[in-house]
Amino acid sequence: MAEMVPFDDIFKTLKKQVEELARLFVKNYTKAAIKDGRKFLDDTKESLKRWTLLLAEGKLTTQDFEWLVLGQKDLAQMIALKQAGLSVIRIEQFRNSLLSLVVDTIFGIVL
């Protein structure tokens, strides 16, 4: 079943959804948010792929998958948003929304 998981398609979907999230969430900082969101996805791509396949094979529970993704929070450094001057609270909210987006999207496609 894991071979059936179209991870490249999932990854493309995630990148598009990061753009939508940025436009909705931090309107005046869209470019910086997209840059930071895509960097996070690129930095975690191999781990996300491995975990997605394990989830599809039933070797990871949904709780384990979510825990692993949320554990990558420190990799979502949001440097561009910080440089653009967005408040720390808004950056943290965007980061949490980004992590939830990754989990929800992969759950929606794989499960």
Side-chain angles (χ1 to χ4, degrees), residues 1-3 5 49-65 68 106-107 110-111:
M1 179 174 170
E3 296 82 29
V5 175
K49 182 176 184 176
R50 183 173 57 254
W51 300 334
T52 299
L53 295 175
L54 289 171
L55 180 68
E57 292 172 348
K59 294 180 180 175
L60 268 183
T61 66
T62 54
Q63 293 89 353
D64 290 340
F65 180 85
L68 288 166
I106 292 174
F107 281 0
V110 173
L111 302 178

Side-chain angles (χ1 to χ4, degrees), residues 3-105:
E3 296 82 29
M4 306 289 277
V5 175
F7 186 78
D8 289 337
D9 293 341
I10 293 170
F11 198 74
K12 287 176 191 170
T13 299
L14 285 170
K15 284 203 169 191
K16 287 179 191 168
Q17 289 180 337
V18 163
E19 290 179 26
E20 293 170 26
L21 181 68
R23 280 190 208 95
L24 291 170
F25 205 89
V26 286
K27 292 177 187 161
N28 297 330
Y29 300 90
T30 301
K31 286 184 181 179
I34 290 170
K35 181 178 179 181
D36 284 340
R38 285 184 173 169
K39 178 165 182 5
F40 171 75
L41 290 176
D42 289 338
D43 289 350
T44 59
K45 183 177 182 177
E46 291 307 312
S47 294
L48 288 174
K49 182 176 184 176
R50 183 173 57 254
W51 300 334
T52 299
L53 295 175
L54 289 171
L55 180 68
E57 292 172 348
K59 294 180 180 175
L60 268 183
T61 66
T62 54
Q63 293 89 353
D64 290 340
F65 180 85
E66 190 170 4
W67 182 82
L68 288 166
V69 172
L70 296 178
Q72 300 300 299
K73 185 176 183 175
D74 289 343
L75 290 177
Q77 295 180 22
M78 305 294 144
I79 293 169
L81 284 172
K82 289 176 186 172
Q83 290 173 344
L86 186 63
S87 74
V88 173
I89 292 170
R90 294 285 291 158
I91 290 170
E92 190 64 22
Q93 290 170 338
F94 179 74
R95 181 188 349 242
N96 290 336
S97 296
L98 174 63
L99 294 170
S100 293
L101 174 83
V102 170
V103 170
D104 293 344
T105 298

